[in-house]
């Protein structure tokens, strides 16, 4: 197969590429990525010499660059590229709308012109908004996004469906819950907490810390993405969940226990504006139709992830410089070194 992957230098995209190359070494993959602060070619050193792998630096909002890079008649576009962090969308929503919504439209048009067979669109459970206790998001539930990130991802989904209706584009949409695992940029909760705890720095806990997220290991997610790309029904949406919804405090305390660090590192801070209280996806459809289910328990996945961050200090250091340090200061009103616990 010939795949055109966008955002393949990010957290999930790079895992997808590494896994695909391992499973289907004869296939061709083009990784098209702008290399924003979140994109990092160091995530792909294990595949960079693979004969079927090519990297192209480019922006999904640039039609000409896409038309040049997408091979005519490719088997699939796998669309990961996005601005992905909710906190950043609070401070600057325009870039999210531009990349996530407009970028998806430009990509859909280019893929159609290059006669790509299938468009796999990577979306998020956040499009459903905050779930009430006992409520579970289903594939046909109403979409009620509440952050600019979620709203821009919802717009992207609608544009993908519109291309299906208008032009007959063969698409599949996946909505995944919160991923964790190696190579995740340490602005998201799990890697932030692991990195801060390792350095005895405090960990910001927004509000009461009882917000619920359904954690899935990125390898389980990528196995589901491969299944939906190969076997998902055209025009269908598939939910992918970890089956492990837990409050943030539970997750943070598990990290501290595994690292043998005190709970006093947890530092309650002001809540995120518009903070979604609970995400919970029902993923019965993918289990039923594609026989996929998550295989990595949270305890095993977390242990493996912590080991990875311990063993990859150089990677952490390199991504936690420049832009990240300024961002951290703006976000928490202190520099990383000042946030060291007493
Ligand atoms: P990430 O932020 O780690 O990576 C995003 C990648 O997209 C980066 O490599 C970046 O350089 C690239 N990119 C950004 N703007 C671009 C542009 N204009 N043109 C080309 N490349 C661009 O994100 P991630 O966590 O790997 O998420 C990947 C996808 O999965 C996103 O679409 C996200 O919305 C979705 N998703 C993520 C999660 C999660 O928990 N991380 C959960 C559900 C869905
Ligand atoms: P995050 O990893 O940003 O993912 P999302 O907001 O897309 O679910 O945050 C996960 C949860 O952790 C969310 O409820 C916000 C919370 N959180 C904190 O309490 N402290 C932090 O420093 C961060 C980054 C997140």
């Amino acid at each position: 197969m010939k795949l055109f992957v966008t955002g393949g230098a990010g957290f999930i995209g790079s895992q997808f590429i590494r896994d695909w190359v391992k499973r289907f070494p004869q296939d061709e993959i083009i990784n098209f990525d702008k290399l924003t602060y979140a994109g990092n070619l160091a995530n792909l050193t294990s595949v960079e010499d693979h004969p079927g792998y090519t990297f192209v630096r480019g922006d999904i909002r640039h039609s000409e660059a896409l038309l040049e890079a997408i091979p005519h008649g490719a088997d699939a576009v796998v669309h990961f590229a996005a601005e992905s962090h909710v906190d950043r969308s609070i401070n600057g929503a325009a870039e999210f709308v531009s990349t996530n919504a407009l970028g998806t439209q430009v990509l859909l048009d280019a893929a159609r012109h290059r006669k790509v067979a299938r468009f796999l669109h990577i979306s998020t459970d956040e499009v459903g908004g905050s779930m009430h206790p006992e409520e579970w998001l289903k594939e046909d539930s109403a979409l009620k996004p509440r952050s600019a990130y979620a709203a821009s991802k919802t717009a992207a989904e609608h544009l993908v469906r519109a291309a299906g209706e208008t032009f007959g584009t063969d698409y599949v949409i996946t909505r995944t819950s919160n991923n964790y695992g190696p190579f995740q940029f340490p602005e998201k909760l799990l890697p932030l907490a692991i990195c801060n705890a390792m350095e005895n720095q405090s960990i910001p806990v927004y509000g009461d810390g009882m917000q619920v997220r359904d954690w899935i290991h990125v390898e389980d997610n990528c196995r589901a993405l491969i299944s939906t790309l190969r076997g998902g029904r055209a025009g269908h949406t598939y939910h992918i969940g970890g089956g492990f919804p837990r409050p943030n405090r539970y997750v943070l305390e598990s990290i501290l226990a595994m690292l043998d660090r005190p709970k006093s590192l947890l530092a309650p801070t002001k809540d995120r504006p518009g903070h979604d209280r609970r995400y919970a996806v029902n993923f019965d459809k993918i289990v039923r139709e594609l026989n996929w289910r998550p295989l990595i328990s949270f305890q095993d996945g977390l242990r493996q992830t912590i080991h990875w961050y311990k063993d990859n200090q150089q990677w952490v250091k390199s991504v936690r410089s420049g832009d990240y340090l300024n961002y951290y200061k703006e976000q928490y009103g202190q520099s990383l070194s000042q946030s060291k616990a007493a």
Side-chain angles (χ1 to χ4, degrees), residues 283-302:
F283 56 92
D284 292 350
K285 180 175 173 180
I286 192 170
V287 173
R288 198 173 55 242
E289 289 193 13
L290 299 173
N291 196 25
W292 172 92
R293 54 182 48 72
L295 297 177
I296 303 174
S297 74
F298 185 69
Q299 292 302 314
D300 286 350
L302 187 57

Side-chain angles (χ1 to χ4, degrees), residues 260-277:
D260 198 20
R261 295 291 195 275
K263 285 187 192 167
S264 57
L265 284 183
L266 299 183
T269 61
K270 66 176 174 7
D271 207 353
R272 171 189 280 174
H275 199 165
D276 284 342
R277 193 70 184 163

Side-chain angles (χ1 to χ4, degrees), residues 41-87:
L41 291 179
N43 301 357
L44 292 155
T45 46
S46 64
V47 298
E48 66 190 6
D49 293 331
H50 184 77
Y53 170 76
T54 316
F55 173 70
V56 177
R57 187 168 192 182
D59 190 321
I60 54 163
R61 292 166 291 189
H62 295 163
S63 175
E64 276 171 27
L66 286 171
L67 290 171
E68 202 173 300
I70 300 175
H72 189 267
D75 294 285
V77 163
V78 185
H79 179 32
F80 293 98
E83 287 294 335
S84 69
H85 191 41
V86 174
D87 289 330

Side-chain angles (χ1 to χ4, degrees), residues 4-304:
F4 185 81
V5 176
T6 70
F11 165 50
I12 305 176
S14 65
Q15 180 75 46
F16 177 88
I17 291 176
R18 294 192 303 273
D19 291 353
W20 192 281
V21 165
K22 218 178 271 167
R23 276 182 66 175
F24 311 106
Q26 71 289 356
D27 286 355
E28 277 178 47
I29 298 191
I30 295 160
N31 173 17
F32 185 91
D33 196 301
K34 181 174 180 235
L35 298 183
T36 66
Y37 78 96
N40 189 348
L41 291 179
N43 301 357
L44 292 155
T45 46
S46 64
V47 298
E48 66 190 6
D49 293 331
H50 184 77
Y53 170 76
T54 316
F55 173 70
V56 177
R57 187 168 192 182
D59 190 321
I60 54 163
R61 292 166 291 189
H62 295 163
S63 175
E64 276 171 27
L66 286 171
L67 290 171
E68 202 173 300
I70 300 175
H72 189 267
D75 294 285
V77 163
V78 185
H79 179 32
F80 293 98
E83 287 294 335
S84 69
H85 191 41
V86 174
D87 289 330
R88 286 182 188 250
S89 79
I90 295 167
N91 297 330
E95 187 67 10
F96 282 69
V97 177
S98 171
T99 295
N100 300 357
L102 176 65
T104 297
Q105 184 59 53
V106 176
L107 180 63
L108 282 163
D109 289 339
R112 192 175 74 254
H113 285 121
R114 301 300 286 154
K115 303 213 177 320
V116 176
R118 169 157 274 198
F119 194 99
L120 178 64
H121 180 70
I122 314 300
S123 190
T124 164
D125 61 353
E126 301 192 24
V127 297
S130 198
M131 299 283 109
H132 299 301
E134 310 304 325
E135 188 189 6
W136 295 80
L137 186 74
K138 293 197 177 153
E139 281 83 355
D140 59 0
S141 299
L143 303 185
K144 292 182 272 184
R146 297 177 68 247
S147 70
Y149 164 67
S152 65
K153 292 294 290 185
T154 306
E157 276 198 21
H158 287 318
L159 293 167
V160 173
R161 277 187 285 272
E165 297 294 336
T166 313
F167 301 109
T169 298
D170 175 316
Y171 72 85
V172 178
I173 295 173
T174 59
R175 292 190 194 128
T176 316
S177 61
N178 286 64
N179 282 231
Y180 70 97
F183 296 103
Q184 186 170 29
F185 193 86
E187 64 181 353
K188 305 273 166 54
L189 181 67
L190 260 78
L192 177 82
I194 294 169
C195 294
N196 281 18
M198 281 193 310
E199 295 170 19
N200 281 311
Q201 290 167 0
S202 57
I203 299 164
V205 181
Y206 298 168
D208 65 1
M210 294 309 287
Q211 304 82 7
V212 172
R213 299 291 185 266
D214 177 10
W215 299 97
I216 181 170
H217 193 280
V218 64
E219 285 174 30
D220 273 336
N221 178 29
C222 287
R223 202 164 38 77
L225 297 179
I226 292 173
S227 293
T228 45
L229 176 58
R230 293 163 63 86
R233 283 191 285 159
H236 277 249
T237 300
Y238 292 87
H239 285 176
I240 303 167
F244 193 79
R246 288 291 181 282
N248 295 337
R249 268 193 182 271
Y250 169 92
V251 169
L252 293 173
E253 286 175 12
S254 305
I255 291 171
L256 293 174
M258 280 188 196
L259 282 166
D260 198 20
R261 295 291 195 275
K263 285 187 192 167
S264 57
L265 284 183
L266 299 183
T269 61
K270 66 176 174 7
D271 207 353
R272 171 189 280 174
H275 199 165
D276 284 342
R277 193 70 184 163
R278 177 172 173 268
Y279 297 139
V281 277
N282 173 310
F283 56 92
D284 292 350
K285 180 175 173 180
I286 192 170
V287 173
R288 198 173 55 242
E289 289 193 13
L290 299 173
N291 196 25
W292 172 92
R293 54 182 48 72
L295 297 177
I296 303 174
S297 74
F298 185 69
Q299 292 302 314
D300 286 350
L302 187 57
R303 206 167 292 117
Q304 176 248 42

